[in-house]
């Protein structure tokens, strides 16, 4: 079926550490993946995306890795800051449909 | 501000009343989406439009839910005969084309008493 899940509901890290948030997807036909960050009371904010013809993409302090063999997606945040504290969602899109979201991982950064 | 705009930000209503929410997408975006989000969950897709055409509505939660985008610009989401289970955050998003990133508004928080 079309479902996107995250391995851990919460992740706690120290400021300055690197964070890794994981996501497993089940639809092998999905060809576009996005990571969103959501702060309390706000809508999801785009972080980074990747298409299925790639296995890695880097942004500013963030890297997304895609492993199509095991249908796994991860978000790496370098030098995590208190402002990174939020709920992170992965979402998948099969061509012609809408984005389907997972349940989210709450990242807590302590200083 | 040229982002996605939603109105109102908060709505409190009594069970059985009708409510309507408005979404103004980013102006050049052809696609407009409605999602619902309950506490602790990811956004749940409801429906979307390509310009004024509603391309997917089978995921609207019941026949009490309807959406329009009459001129291909702003959209409205209406819930008739609200129930307490309708209490949630209703999010609107827009994108330039299919299979592109969505930009979300801040949502309308609905509370049904």
């Amino acid at each position: 079926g079309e479902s996107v899940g995250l391995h851990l509901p919460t992740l706690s890290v120290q400021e300055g550490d690197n964070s890794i948030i994981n996501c497993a997807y089940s639809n092998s036909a999905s060809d576009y993946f996005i990571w969103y960050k959501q702060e309390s009371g706000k809508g999801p904010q785009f972080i980074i995306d990747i298409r299925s013809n790639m296995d890695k993409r880097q942004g500013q302090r963030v890297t997304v890795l895609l492993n199509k063999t095991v249908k796994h997606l991860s978000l790496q945040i370098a030098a995590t800051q208190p402002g990174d504290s939020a709920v992170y969602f992965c979402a998948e899109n099969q061509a012609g449909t809408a984005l389907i979201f997972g349940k989210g991982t709450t990242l807590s950064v302590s200083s | 501000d040229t982002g996605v705009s939603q109105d109102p930000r908060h709505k409190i209503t009594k069970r059985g009343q009708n409510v309507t929410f408005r979404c103004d997408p980013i102006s050049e975006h052809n696609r407009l989406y409605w999602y619902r989000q309950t506490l602790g969950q990811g956004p749940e897709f409801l429906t979307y439009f390509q310009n004024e055409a509603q391309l997917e509505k089978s995921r609207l939660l019941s026949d009490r839910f309807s959406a329009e985008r009459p001129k291909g610009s702003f959209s409205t989401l209406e819930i008739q005969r609200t129930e307490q289970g309708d209490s949630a955050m209703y999010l609107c998003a827009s994108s330039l084309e299919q299979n592109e990133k969505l930009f979300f508004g801040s949502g309308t928080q609905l509370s049904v008493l």
Side-chain angles (χ1 to χ4, degrees):
Chain A
E2 294 180 17
S3 66
V4 178
L6 291 169
H7 292 299
L8 291 175
T10 60
L11 177 64
S12 297
V13 300
Q14 293 285 323
E15 182 178 2
D17 286 351
N18 296 332
S19 301
I20 300 176
I21 301 172
N22 295 305
C23 173
Y25 66 95
S26 59
N27 192 332
S28 57
S30 294
D31 56 5
Y32 181 51
F33 304 87
I34 306 182
W35 281 100
Y36 281 92
K37 172 186 179 183
Q38 188 173 27
E39 297 172 309
S40 181
K42 298 183 179 179
Q45 176 187 357
F46 171 84
I47 301 174
I48 192 168
D49 58 0
I50 189 167
R51 300 193 184 273
S52 58
N53 60 352
M54 303 174 68
D55 53 21
K56 180 179 180 179
R57 192 164 187 221
Q58 289 184 290
Q60 187 176 12
R61 283 201 306 119
V62 295
T63 300
V64 55
L65 299 177
L66 175 62
N67 185 330
K68 293 181 288 294
T69 302
V70 295
K71 288 185 274 190
H72 184 267
L73 192 70
S74 68
L75 176 70
Q76 300 177 0
I77 305 173
T80 314
Q81 303 168 0
D84 295 326
S85 295
V87 181
Y88 289 80
F89 295 98
C90 66
E92 64 177 323
N93 190 308
Q94 180 182 356
T97 68
L99 278 179
I100 304 300
F101 285 77
K103 291 185 179 180
T105 290
T106 300
L107 176 65
S108 299
V109 183
S110 52
S111 51
Chain B
D1 186 348
T2 57
V4 177
S5 176
Q6 291 189 246
D7 183 70
R9 288 296 312 275
H10 303 275
K11 178 69 177 179
I12 300 174
T13 191
K14 292 183 179 179
R15 189 174 49 187
Q17 297 295 305
N18 300 342
V19 295
T20 300
F21 310 139
R22 176 179 171 124
C23 172
D24 288 89
I26 294 172
S27 59
E28 64 269 24
H29 282 187
N30 298 316
R31 290 208 162 197
L32 185 149
Y33 305 80
W34 285 100
Y35 284 79
R36 184 180 84 151
Q37 187 175 27
T38 54
L39 198 62
Q41 302 296 315
E44 177 186 9
F45 169 69
L46 297 177
T47 187
Y48 80 97
F49 295 83
Q50 170 82 28
N51 299 313
E52 65 274 10
Q54 191 172 11
L55 299 186
E56 173 63 65
K57 56 182 179 180
S58 65
R59 301 208 191 190
L60 286 168
L61 299 165
S62 78
D63 58 7
R64 298 184 296 106
F65 287 70
S66 62
E68 294 183 341
R69 194 183 184 197
K71 297 182 180 179
S73 56
F74 74 91
S75 175
T76 57
L77 177 70
E78 181 182 17
I79 309 173
Q80 296 182 327
R81 305 180 302 281
T82 52
E83 302 173 356
Q84 288 184 324
D86 297 332
S87 296
M89 174 76 82
Y90 289 85
L91 292 163
C92 176
S94 68
S95 68
L96 192 57
E97 289 298 340
Q98 174 181 316
N99 238 24
E100 295 287 336
K101 58 181 175 269
L102 272 59
F103 293 85
F104 282 84
S106 295
T108 294
Q109 182 66 52
L110 173 66
S111 297
V112 182
L113 305 178

